[in-house]
Amino acid sequence: MNANLSSNKVQTLKRSHLANAISAALLASMITAPVSAKEEDKDADKIVVTATKTSQPIQEVPLAITALDGEFIDEVNLTDVKDLVAFTPGITGNSQDSFIDAISVRGIRTQDFGVGGDPSTAFFKNDLYEGRNGSVVSTLYDMDRAEILRGPQGFLFGRNSVGGAVSVHTRQADIGVDEASIALEINELNLQSLTAVKNLPISDSFAMRFAAISSQEDGFITNQFDGRDYGGHDKFAGRWSTSYESDKTKITTMVEYEDRTRNGSLYRAITNGDIWDAFDQAMGPVEIRGGDQGIDSDNYTGSIDDAQILTLGGKLEYELDFADLTVNLGHKDHDYFYTEDYDGTPISISNYTQDQTGDYTQAEIRLNSKPDDGPLSWYVGASYYKENIDTRFSFVADEDAMCQYYSHYYYLYYYGQSVQFTCSEYYGSSGFTPSADGTLTETSQIIGKYSGWATYLNIGYAITDNFDIEFGIRHTSDKKQFSNNVFEPESWLGPYWAYLFSTDGPLTNTKTWDNTSYRALARWRMDEDTMLYASYTEGYKSGGFGSFSVRRADGSTPEGYPTGITFEADGFLPDEFAPEIADSYEFGLKDTWFDGNAQVDLTAFMYDYQDLQIVTYDVDAGGAALVKNVGEVESSGIEGSIKASLSTNFDIYASMAYLDSEASKLQDICGLEDPDGCEGSPLFWAPEFSGSVVLNGNFALDSGAEIVSSLEVYWESERGGGWENLASSKIDSYTDVSFRIAYQAYEDDGNWRIEAYIENLTNEFTWDGMNNNGGILPSHFFGPKKPRTAGLRFTRSWQ
C-alpha cells in the first residue's frame, strides 16, 4: 500500500511503497573488441514476442519493451512477478508483499492504496488482467517468457495503463511432446522448494500440462519486540493447461490456484530529524532497538500477508479468410488478508488490517489482418470487464497512546507545556471509559461493483519497403459503483484518528468516466539490422473513489468537518477523484552491432503527466486521508539494454536507465512551512540512475557436460526524501551482487543440473522504500533487504 503524506501534519495512511528498484544499467562500453561468437549462434537468442498481437522478433518491435525468456527467469531465480523489474530498464520498486503500488515505470506509479482506484502499472498473465493489490502478485514457475512494456499502454491490451504493462506467459501444453521435470532448492534460511512439471500428449491434436510449486522459507530478520524472525513465506501453486490445434483453430486453457502466506511489510521508524524529535518528545523517550537495520514493532494485530487466488483462462485463435480472430476469456477469484504495524515502533499507534474478497471477469475479441497482405495492416478489438470487491479496513491504536500524544500536542500548542496524560487523566471528570481491550479500532467496509468496456483500432501502412506508419484510436468507458460504510468505534474516543467520521449506514455513489485516446508511430528500417522509430501515445487511468474520505453531494468540500457522525441523508457521498492523463513521446533505436553478435535497444523519452491521484492528509476536507488530483510532472530520460556474445565462453546482458523528473503544483500536499518549497521536486521514489548486468560463462567439458556460471549485479542511485526532500529519509545508493555456478549433464532421456549460489554476495543492506509522515506517525523505512544467502538447486528433466 502507499500514501504520500505531508511531513508536518498528522497522517493516517498506509505507506507509499517506494522503490526498491533493482532496475537497469547499460554497459555497452564493455563491448570494446570484436566478438568471436560462432556464426551459427547469431540468431539463437532472438526472442519472439506477442506484445503487438502478432508474433515478431523483439528487435523488430517499435516499442520500449524488454523480454525475458523462461530459461533466464529460472536461472537467475526470479520467483515473484515483481522480481522482473530487476532486469528491466526504467522500472523500479520491488517490495516484499502483495502490493504493486511501489512499482514505478519511468517514475509513474500508483499512489492510492485504497480499492476505489486502479493501478498505474497493469499486470497480465496469458493476456488475462491480474487486477489489484492482494490478487495481482503471483509466483513465477514453468514460465515461457515475460514481456515488460514501458510507457502508456491501451492499444495492445484489454485494460488501460498510464505507466506501463508487465505481461507474463506460462508454458502452454506442447502437443506431441512427452516430457517432465523436477527442481529442488534449499538454502541457509531453511528454504525447501519443490517444482514439478509434466507435459502429457493425449492425441495428435491435444495435450495437457501440469505444473506445481511448493516453497517454505524461514524469516531473516529478528523483531526486537517479540524475538520472532520475520520475512519468511509458505506457498503452494498449481496450474493445469491444455492445448488443442487443428488446421485453422487453436484453443488453450489454464486453471491455476495459488495459496501463499508471508509477513506483512516490516517497518522501522526513522530516529533522527525534526519529525522524530517531535514524536519522541510527545511519546517518549522511545527506544527503537535493533540498530539502523533492525525492526522493533509491537505487531499488535499481527504481520500477515495471506492470499488464495483461483484463475481460469481460455483463448481461441481462428484463421478466417480475411483476418485472424482471437477471443480471450478469463475469470479470477481471490481472498486476501493483510495486517501490519505501520508505525514501526514498539508502541501500538497504527496497526493496519485489510480483509478483502473479490472477483474479476474479462472478455476480449480481436481481429488482426493477415501478415504479408499488402502495405495495409490493421487490428481492431473490443473488451469488457466486470469486477466485484468487498474490503474491510481497520486501523487499531492504543487508547492511552492516542491520549498521550494529543494531550501533549494540545498543551504544547496552547500553553507551551510538555505533558503526557493517559485518557483517564486527560478527560478527567468527563468520565472516560476504556474499551474492552484498551484500543481504538476504526473500521470500514467498502463494496465496489465496477465494469467497463473499450474499443480500439490500429491501422498501419507501409509507405515504402523500409518506412511505415501507424495510427491508433481507443475509446474507454469505466463505471464504478462504490459503497463505503464507516462504523462508529466502540471506543469512548469515537472516530478520532483514521477517518474523523462514521456513517449511519453505507454511503453510495456511482460514476462513469469516458476517454478517447490516440497513438501515432513511425518506423524506419535503415537496413536489415537497424531500425529507428518515433511515437506519441496518450495515457489514461480512470478516476475513482477515495476509501477514507467523503464529500458533500453537491461536490463541495465539507470545510472544517468535525469528528462525528456523517449521515447519508445529510447529503454526503463517497469522495471521488478525476482520471490521470499522460502525453508520452518516444524515440528508439534497435540495432545489431559487432558483426551481428550484440543486440542493442536504446530509447529516449519524455512525457507530461497530469492530475496525479495522490493520497494526502487534510483534516478539513472530509476525512483524514483524501485522494486529490494534484500536480503536474515533466519527465525525460534514456533507457538502454544490450545482449551480446563476448566470446565462445561468455555472454552478457546489461541494461540502464536515467530519469530526470520535475513536479510542480504541489502546494496542496507539500509538508514544508512554505507550501512552495516542494516545487520542482523529483519523483522521489524512482532513482535517477539504475542498472543491472548479468555476465554468463559456459565451459564445455570433454564428457559432454558443461560448467555454467553467472555473475549478476544490480545497482541504483539515491532515492527517497519525499516531496520535502528530507535528508533523514533518504535511501543511499545500493549495489547487489549474486553469483551462481552449476554443473549440467546431458543424457539420452534428458538432462540434470546441480547449482550452488550466493545471493547478495557482499551482504549489502537497503530498504524497499520510505515515508515522510508526521505528527503521531514518525517517518519510517520499510522492507529490509534479505542478507547474504547461500543455497543449492538441483533440476532433472526427462523427454
Side-chain angles (χ1 to χ4, degrees):
M1 308 180 336
N2 86 50
N4 299 312
L5 307 182
S6 302
S7 62
N8 293 335
K9 300 179 181 179
V10 177
Q11 306 178 32
T12 64
L13 303 177
K14 185 68 180 99
R15 65 173 143 75
S16 65
H17 263 67
L18 316 173
N20 167 20
I22 307 180
S23 167
L26 171 86
L27 286 191
S29 59
M30 294 184 67
I31 316 297
T32 57
V35 192
S36 58
K38 296 178 181 179
E39 187 72 23
E40 61 267 25
D41 290 338
K42 287 184 179 180
D43 297 330
D45 293 329
K46 286 188 176 180
I47 299 178
V48 175
V49 298
T50 58
T52 57
K53 304 312 174 190
T54 59
S55 296
Q56 290 180 287
I58 190 170
Q59 290 298 98
E60 298 179 13
V61 177
L63 294 171
I65 178 175
T66 298
L68 307 174
D69 63 25
E71 182 178 1
F72 180 88
I73 291 170
D74 182 62
E75 288 179 351
V76 299
N77 208 17
L78 305 183
T79 59
D80 184 301
V81 67
K82 292 189 296 181
D83 291 344
L84 296 169
V85 307
F87 300 98
T88 307
I91 303 186
T92 59
N94 197 356
S95 59
Q96 303 165 66
D97 54 25
S98 295
F99 289 81
I100 58 170
D101 50 354
I103 298 294
S104 160
V105 182
R106 296 174 173 172
I108 296 178
R109 63 154 218 196
T110 311
Q111 299 175 75
D112 168 29
F113 67 88
V115 294
D118 296 309
S120 295
T121 301
F123 283 72
F124 299 86
K125 177 179 286 186
N126 298 333
D127 294 329
L128 304 178
Y129 183 66
E130 287 286 87
R132 61 184 60 256
N133 286 335
S135 67
V136 60
V137 176
S138 60
T139 301
L140 300 177
Y141 62 103
D142 195 33
M143 301 301 298
D144 181 64
R145 68 190 185 281
E147 302 173 9
I148 305 99
L149 294 85
R150 306 181 296 279
Q153 304 299 324
F155 296 90
L156 302 176
F157 297 97
R159 289 295 300 269
N160 267 327
S161 170
V162 71
V166 177
S167 178
V168 299
H169 297 264
T170 63
R171 288 283 303 274
Q172 296 179 357
D174 199 348
I175 294 173
V177 175
D178 189 352
E179 64 180 9
S181 67
I182 61 168
L184 302 169
E185 183 178 357
I186 58 174
N187 70 20
E188 58 184 307
L189 293 176
N190 198 30
L191 172 70
Q192 302 174 58
S193 177
L194 170 63
T195 304
V197 178
K198 174 61 179 177
N199 196 92
L200 186 64
I202 304 300
S203 69
D204 292 341
S205 59
F206 183 71
M208 296 190 296
R209 188 177 186 90
F210 302 90
I213 183 172
S214 176
S215 179
Q216 302 84 36
E217 186 176 40
D218 293 342
F220 60 87
I221 187 166
T222 301
N223 183 11
Q224 299 298 314
F225 185 86
D226 56 19
R228 294 174 53 197
D229 290 337
Y230 288 79
H233 70 256
D234 187 348
K235 60 186 177 182
F236 169 81
R239 183 186 309 127
W240 172 42
S241 305
T242 71
S243 294
Y244 167 81
E245 292 186 20
S246 67
D247 291 340
K248 294 186 176 183
T249 304
K250 181 177 181 180
I251 300 174
T252 56
T253 67
M254 179 192 74
V255 178
E256 183 177 68
Y257 177 76
E258 180 161 347
D259 187 341
R260 65 174 182 269
T261 298
R262 53 187 172 187
N263 294 122
S265 284
L266 306 173
Y267 296 84
R268 176 179 177 81
I270 297 172
T271 56
N272 55 39
D274 294 341
I275 294 175
W276 173 259
D277 291 343
F279 171 82
D280 190 53
Q281 183 182 18
M283 304 300 298
V286 180
E287 179 186 5
I288 308 295
R289 298 162 293 181
D292 293 339
Q293 300 177 6
I295 59 171
D296 191 5
S297 295
D298 62 276
N299 285 333
Y300 179 82
T301 57
S303 179
I304 302 170
D305 186 331
D306 189 358
Q308 297 83 42
I309 304 167
L310 174 66
T311 305
L312 310 175
K315 178 185 288 187
L316 165 67
E317 298 172 272
Y318 185 76
E319 294 185 19
L320 300 170
D321 292 338
F322 70 98
D324 294 327
L325 170 69
T326 301
V327 179
N328 192 10
L329 304 174
H331 179 81
K332 187 170 189 175
D333 270 290
H334 76 272
D335 291 287
Y336 181 61
F337 182 79
Y338 181 89
T339 184
E340 67 178 15
D341 181 9
Y342 180 63
D343 56 86
T345 75
I347 307 171
S348 184
I349 298 171
S350 179
N351 291 275
Y352 170 88
T353 297
Q354 182 172 338
D355 191 356
Q356 177 176 299
T357 62
D359 61 77
Y360 183 91
T361 303
Q362 75 167 53
E364 182 180 12
I365 183 170
R366 184 177 65 253
L367 285 172
N368 283 68
S369 61
K370 292 287 188 179
D372 303 321
D373 200 19
L376 180 68
S377 62
W378 53 269
Y379 62 83
V380 60
S383 63
Y384 172 81
Y385 75 88
K386 182 178 181 180
E387 179 182 15
N388 297 300
I389 191 83
D390 188 340
T391 306
R392 183 176 288 256
F393 293 101
S394 295
F395 298 84
V396 181
D398 181 81
E399 288 177 318
D400 279 335
M402 302 293 288
C403 290
Q404 179 177 333
Y405 176 81
Y406 284 106
S407 63
H408 170 85
Y409 181 86
Y410 177 83
Y411 274 80
L412 191 66
Y413 184 83
Y414 286 101
Y415 304 109
Q417 301 178 14
S418 178
V419 300
Q420 294 178 340
F421 289 143
T422 65
C423 291
S424 295
E425 293 169 337
Y426 186 53
Y427 287 101
S429 60
S430 300
F432 172 79
T433 301
S435 63
D437 59 2
T439 66
L440 168 61
T441 301
E442 297 184 68
T443 303
S444 71
Q445 182 179 21
I446 292 175
I447 297 176
K449 296 182 179 181
Y450 311 146
S451 62
W453 59 269
T455 58
Y456 52 89
L457 169 66
N458 193 86
I459 299 175
Y461 190 80
I463 297 176
T464 69
D465 290 341
N466 297 324
F467 183 74
D468 57 86
I469 59 174
E470 291 184 21
F471 177 78
I473 182 172
R474 176 187 177 105
H475 183 79
T476 302
S477 180
D478 295 289
K479 180 180 180 181
K480 295 182 178 180
Q481 179 180 309
F482 186 86
S483 172
N484 193 358
N485 191 7
V486 182
F487 305 101
E488 185 173 6
E490 295 183 3
S491 172
W492 189 90
L493 295 178
Y496 188 52
W497 165 237
Y499 292 93
L500 304 181
F501 65 91
S502 59
T503 64
D504 186 17
L507 305 187
T508 301
N509 198 1
T510 301
K511 177 76 175 180
T512 299
W513 292 270
D514 292 284
N515 172 265
T516 301
S517 53
Y518 302 90
R519 180 181 78 153
L521 184 150
R523 173 172 52 179
W524 178 32
R525 297 179 178 88
M526 299 176 64
D527 54 43
E528 183 179 354
D529 297 321
T530 307
M531 179 184 73
L532 292 172
Y533 68 90
S535 68
Y536 164 74
T537 307
E538 292 182 341
Y540 167 77
K541 183 173 80 169
S542 171
F545 295 97
S547 297
F548 312 103
S549 58
V550 295
R551 286 279 179 94
R552 294 190 184 277
D554 62 8
S556 64
T557 298
E559 298 291 343
Y561 188 72
T563 298
I565 304 295
T566 298
F567 297 95
E568 187 172 11
D570 289 342
F572 287 94
L573 296 172
D575 183 30
E576 67 184 61
F577 49 86
E580 291 183 344
I581 301 295
D583 293 307
S584 176
Y585 302 85
E586 281 186 11
F587 308 90
L589 165 69
K590 296 193 177 185
D591 203 353
T592 301
W593 293 354
F594 302 106
D595 198 25
N597 294 301
Q599 295 178 0
V600 178
D601 184 347
L602 297 173
T603 306
F605 67 88
M606 55 184 179
Y607 66 78
D608 183 21
Y609 181 32
Q610 302 178 31
D611 296 324
L612 284 66
Q613 299 167 359
I614 296 179
V615 181
T616 186
Y617 169 80
D618 194 339
V619 69
D620 293 329
L626 182 70
V627 181
K628 288 186 175 181
N629 292 101
V630 175
E632 180 175 342
V633 179
E634 293 184 356
S635 291
S636 60
I638 300 173
E639 301 159 349
S641 66
I642 185 168
K643 184 177 183 180
S645 174
L646 300 176
S647 69
T648 303
N649 301 113
F650 291 98
D651 63 78
I652 190 172
Y653 169 82
S655 63
M656 77 89 186
Y658 164 72
L659 176 68
D660 179 25
S661 61
E662 182 175 306
S664 59
K665 302 178 182 178
L666 302 175
Q667 288 82 357
D668 285 351
I669 59 173
C670 183
L672 301 174
E673 290 186 8
D674 178 7
D676 293 326
C678 296
E679 294 297 280
S681 295
L683 298 173
F684 58 88
W685 50 78
E688 185 178 14
F689 295 96
S690 54
S692 67
V693 178
V694 179
L695 177 65
N696 295 310
N698 187 305
F699 305 90
L701 303 177
D702 292 340
S703 62
E706 292 178 318
I707 298 294
V708 295
S709 64
S710 70
L711 180 68
E712 304 150 18
V713 182
Y714 322 125
W715 174 81
E716 61 183 24
S717 59
E718 181 185 74
R719 57 197 162 90
W723 300 116
E724 297 79 18
N725 197 30
L726 301 182
S728 60
S729 57
K730 292 279 189 178
I731 298 175
D732 292 336
S733 60
Y734 157 71
T735 302
D736 177 271
V737 181
S738 296
F739 178 73
R740 309 176 197 278
I741 186 167
Y743 175 87
Q744 186 160 299
Y746 299 91
E747 299 180 356
D748 292 340
D749 63 344
N751 59 70
W752 61 272
R753 171 186 174 118
I754 186 165
E755 173 190 301
Y757 64 81
I758 303 177
E759 296 177 337
N760 192 9
L761 180 65
T762 58
N763 203 33
E764 185 154 356
F765 183 83
T766 191
W767 297 93
D768 289 348
M770 49 66 61
N771 279 316
N772 286 349
N773 292 318
I776 198 172
L777 277 180
S779 300
H780 57 228
F781 297 117
F782 64 84
K785 168 70 176 176
K786 184 183 290 188
R788 177 171 50 231
T789 306
L792 292 171
R793 300 176 69 199
F794 173 79
T795 60
R796 178 69 165 97
S797 64
W798 297 268
Q799 55 186 352

